[in-house]
């Protein structure tokens, strides 16, 4: 049976301890959803703003968060601030399930989804003159 040198065993223990501390730090600092985004609605042709960053806890001061949005054909998100913006058109009337994900510097993610409804509005009539 081969014996490990005592110094090698100590180095291994120190390395494992350091790795466990890093895992604990990442778990402790994981970004999480504080409050789910509730269902929302907006009228067509009206600008829709929402600050999704308020729904997540940010990690440490030195950490950065990157926001992403899926499920909307008309809304976009600022990847740095979490601000969702967009102006839906008549083609967007209906409900979409939108997911917002924030990823921290360690690659840890948190996601919340909500229904975003675009309401149809009474479009102005167009009068076309014809010769009779």
């Amino acid at each position: 049976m081969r014996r490990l040198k005592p110094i090698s065993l100590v180095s291994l223990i120190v390395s494992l301890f350091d790795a466990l501390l890093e895992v604990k730090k990442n778990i402790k600092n994981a970004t999480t959803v504080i409050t789910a985004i509730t269902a929302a609605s907006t009228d067509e042709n009206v600008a829709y703003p929402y600050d999704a960053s308020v729904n997540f806890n940010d990690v440490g001061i030195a950490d950065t968060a990157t926001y992403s949005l899926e499920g909307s054909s008309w809304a976009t998100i600022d990847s740095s601030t979490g601000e969702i913006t967009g102006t839906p058109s008549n083609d967007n009337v209906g409900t979409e399930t939108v997911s917002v994900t924030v990823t921290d510097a360690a690659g840890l993610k948190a996601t919340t989804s909500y229904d975003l409804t675009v309401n149809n509005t009474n479009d102005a009539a167009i009068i076309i003159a014809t010769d009779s």
Side-chain angles (χ1 to χ4, degrees):
M1 182 164 123
R2 203 170 122 190
R3 297 183 130 195
L4 295 175
K5 294 180 183 178
I7 190 73
S8 296
L9 184 56
V10 169
S11 295
L12 177 64
I13 291 170
V14 168
S15 294
L16 287 173
F17 183 75
D18 287 345
L20 287 172
L21 284 177
E22 187 64 26
V23 167
K24 181 181 176 189
K25 180 178 112 182
N26 286 337
I27 291 171
K28 179 181 175 193
N29 291 332
T31 299
T32 58
V33 176
I34 297 172
T35 307
I37 302 173
T38 58
S41 66
T42 188
D43 291 337
E44 66 176 277
N45 302 320
V46 175
Y48 172 78
Y50 184 77
D51 182 5
S53 69
V54 301
N55 297 91
F56 298 91
N57 74 332
D58 198 5
V59 190
I61 294 171
D63 204 2
T64 57
T66 303
Y67 296 88
S68 61
L69 181 137
E70 292 182 2
S72 179
S73 58
W74 57 269
T76 59
I77 193 166
D78 183 302
S79 63
S80 298
T81 65
E83 182 74 25
I84 299 172
T85 57
T87 303
S89 68
N90 191 59
D91 294 337
N92 305 117
V93 170
T95 301
E96 299 176 322
T97 300
V98 178
S99 296
V100 178
T101 300
V102 63
T103 306
D104 67 17
L108 301 172
K109 297 179 180 189
T111 301
T112 185
S113 299
Y114 69 107
D115 287 339
L116 181 53
T117 301
V118 175
N119 302 314
N120 194 17
T121 58
N122 190 8
D123 297 323
I126 299 173
I127 300 172
I128 299 175
T130 60
D131 292 331
S132 18

